[in-house]
Amino acid sequence: MLTHYRDYESFKQVAIPLLERRPDVHQLPLGILERGDVPILMAIAEEGDRTIVVLQTIEEQAILAGDVFTYEGIRKLSRILNCPGYVGEQAIIEPLLASHSPFQVKMDQGIYTLTTVIPPVTLDYEFRLIEERFAPQAVAFGWSFIQETGALPATERSRLKNELTIRKHIEAETLFGLFDGEQLLAMASSNRPTASGVTISYVFTPPKWRKQGIASYLVACLSEHLLQQYPMVSLYTDWSNKTSNKIYQAVGFELTGRSMQITKRPKYQ
């Protein structure tokens, strides 16, 4: 059964308690609901005693969060929703990739959470907020991040979206960097705050400054800062990038789940 909602507050009253059963893996939908932007699609899917929260904020994909449906149940839900793509826990999404599936994997990620930082080797660099005067450097870092990770298509629209996002983070004082004097060496943002935690994203270090412990130190500093305000910090990693996964584990992040983003193959779009 699929129940659609038109009223945002009514949907939140149902969805948030379901998502808060496992806040460590549901920071993405919880953060979006906390943000207050009215989604394109809000629904609750049920299969027996199993429930999935369906949340769509962009045309390209819907978020599926909750219990694992049967093979037949999740495929039926996908046909009813008919979205171009989905993102959610691997166990929920993977049945949609069975043989002859119209979908392909766009991103395979690890979900990590942290409550206590393991201090890394201290570096002689300064951790601080990225101010407006450093916006051009941060925008360039953000665009390199997008190109490297494939988080967005490398289009003019994405380039402009990146600049807008970076400048919003700077204005909101949620973009942080590691500095050598006036040189920005690495950046990271805090995102989607909720009562249960906050997410670190946009973690980027240019290639010429990698393999020096800079990313570990920045994430550790930012995590310490955020844990003064939130009970938990979470982040998503590229599962295929073993180096970045080890970096986060070294400062105290623990793997709590796997997330998968899938999209329709070109001939089905």
Side-chain angles (χ1 to χ4, degrees), residues 136-156:
Q137 287 185 57
V139 168
F141 278 26
W143 183 235
S144 294
F145 170 86
I146 287 170
Q147 291 178 303
E148 190 171 295
T149 63
L152 292 172
T155 62
E156 179 64 12

Side-chain angles (χ1 to χ4, degrees), residues 24 55 68 78 88 96 101 121 128 137 154 172 220-221 246 254 269:
D24 54 340
L55 179 63
V68 178
S78 174
L96 298 176
S101 168
V121 175
R128 66 175 191 262
Q137 287 185 57
C221 290
K246 287 180 180 178
E254 297 182 356
Q269 292 178 1

Side-chain angles (χ1 to χ4, degrees), residues 3 19-20 24 76 81 90 134 148 168 202 242:
T3 304
L19 297 170
E20 285 182 337
D24 54 340
K76 181 179 179 181
L81 295 173
Q90 182 186 41
F134 293 103
E148 190 171 295
K168 280 185 175 180
Y202 257 125
K242 301 306 178 185

Side-chain angles (χ1 to χ4, degrees), residues 125 137 141 180 183-186 205-215:
Y125 299 127
Q137 287 185 57
F141 278 26
D180 182 7
Q183 176 63 60
L184 177 63
L185 302 178
T205 307
K208 63 181 176 181
W209 290 312
R210 293 176 187 173
K211 298 183 179 181
Q212 301 177 43
I214 288 174

